[in-house]
Amino acid sequence: MTTSPLTAPQQHSDTPDETDVPGGEDQAQGAAELAVLQRAAGAGEAAAGWVRELAGRQGEEEHARALERVADAVVQVSGREIIPGSDGLLAEELRYTLAADVVLGASHTIGSLPELHRGERLALVAVCALAAAFPSCVLGDLERELTVLAGELACVTEAGRLATAAGDARVLPVRMPRTLGHEHGDPLDRLAYRRVAESASESFEIALHYQGGLGEEACGQALHNALAAAGPGIAPAALLRVADDPALGLEDGQWEHLHRIATELNLRVVEDLGGANGNGTTDTTQPRPA
């Protein structure tokens, strides 16, 4: 006899459903809040680290101390000042420290401005404004609002670091450009040049041979072939020189993109310039000693 579904015994799982666990929803919410609080604290620590780098660059001790106070305040308001259930208000001292006039440093006492590169001042003000807004998130949707502010603080900090890198690069001494094949150049440059020259020479001779002589047309075709063979070697060398120039202050992603293009054009030349095929001081056309 078949048991009716209406009278079938209920099946019970040994594992209680998460929604039936007393306090389960509160625990999940608590874990989410803890995660976003940790993210905010991490963003604050990173921002404070950059501000301390600015402080370390100051020639005036008063400016350095003012920026150190800003860094400490950023850590405080992105950490222990964010207390769920609090009034979300900043103490007067913190409000003063994180005010927009942070870019003036201690100018009211020593009559000069902090040493900041172009772009750093705007990033510094943005760091202070965002950090000062963190505690007020406890009055609204803490998880959503703090996630947004922490993400923006991380972006602004990165923008500040890029401005710092670019500014540092601008004050570097001008260097003469390096070209492949320069007799006093880097040995790795000479190694890469030898590879490019050998490829071009081989293409030139082959084309000249098949063109049947030294006539104007034959030489023109041979030269065309030689340039076509040399181009894929010269281009990646130029890209690497650009990518490695500190005066550009390239981001890691930009640097990697240029290196990736160079590698796709001519892997062997990239390896030569990076030292993967020897140091360029020996003739790599000869067998290496065992």
Side-chain angles (χ1 to χ4, degrees):
M1 179 177 178
T2 303
T3 303
S4 169
L6 296 177
T7 58
Q10 297 294 319
Q11 300 295 320
H12 295 280
S13 170
D14 293 334
T15 303
D17 187 81
E18 184 176 338
T19 58
D20 295 333
V21 178
E25 186 175 342
D26 291 340
Q27 290 178 1
Q29 183 178 3
E33 282 189 357
L34 178 60
V36 75
L37 288 170
Q38 290 174 339
R39 181 180 179 186
E45 288 284 355
W50 172 63
V51 175
R52 288 194 176 97
E53 291 175 15
L54 300 182
R57 200 174 70 215
Q58 302 306 310
E60 295 284 353
E61 187 176 349
E62 287 296 325
H63 286 326
R65 282 203 290 265
L67 288 169
E68 285 288 353
R69 288 194 294 271
V70 171
D72 291 341
V74 170
V75 171
Q76 183 173 341
V77 299
S78 60
R80 64 176 182 266
E81 289 295 315
I82 310 175
I83 305 173
S86 66
D87 59 12
L89 300 177
L90 283 179
E92 182 178 355
E93 182 180 356
L94 288 174
R95 288 201 306 273
Y96 176 79
T97 302
L98 296 174
D101 62 359
V102 61
V103 297
L104 302 177
S107 60
H108 61 288
T109 58
I110 61 179
S112 66
L113 295 175
E115 298 172 17
L116 297 174
H117 296 317
R118 185 170 64 237
E120 288 180 332
R121 285 184 171 83
L122 180 59
L124 182 57
V125 170
V127 163
C128 291
L130 286 167
F134 275 27
S136 65
C137 293
V138 301
L139 303 178
D141 186 338
L142 176 64
E143 184 180 345
R144 182 180 63 83
E145 294 176 9
L146 199 55
T147 295
V148 172
L149 291 182
E152 291 299 317
L153 181 59
C155 290
V156 166
T157 301
E158 181 61 22
R161 289 191 178 281
L162 289 175
T164 297
D168 290 344
R170 283 193 293 269
V171 299
L172 292 175
V174 177
R175 300 185 308 176
M176 291 298 294
R178 290 160 52 187
T179 58
L180 293 181
H182 194 285
E183 66 174 321
H184 300 301
D186 189 288
L188 296 178
D189 288 357
R190 295 198 297 271
L191 176 63
Y193 174 76
R194 186 160 62 245
R195 185 178 302 281
V196 172
E198 288 172 354
S199 176
S201 178
E202 181 182 6
S203 296
F204 182 87
E205 292 174 0
I206 291 174
L208 197 61
H209 170 76
Y210 282 106
Q211 290 294 319
L214 295 174
E216 182 177 346
E217 184 178 348
C219 289
Q221 182 61 45
L223 180 60
H224 171 78
N225 285 19
L227 291 174
I234 295 175
L239 284 174
L240 294 187
R241 289 290 169 262
V242 170
D244 295 338
D245 187 346
L248 294 178
L250 295 181
E251 300 178 40
D252 289 344
Q254 294 170 324
W255 183 90
E256 291 170 359
H257 180 64
L258 291 178
H259 273 252
R260 183 166 55 251
I261 293 175
T263 300
E264 292 171 354
L265 287 171
N266 196 315
L267 174 61
R268 296 302 300 276
V269 167
V270 172
E271 290 177 339
D272 287 340
L273 292 173
N277 295 324
N279 60 12
T281 60
T282 59
D283 186 356
T284 57
T285 61
Q286 300 297 323
R288 294 185 179 181

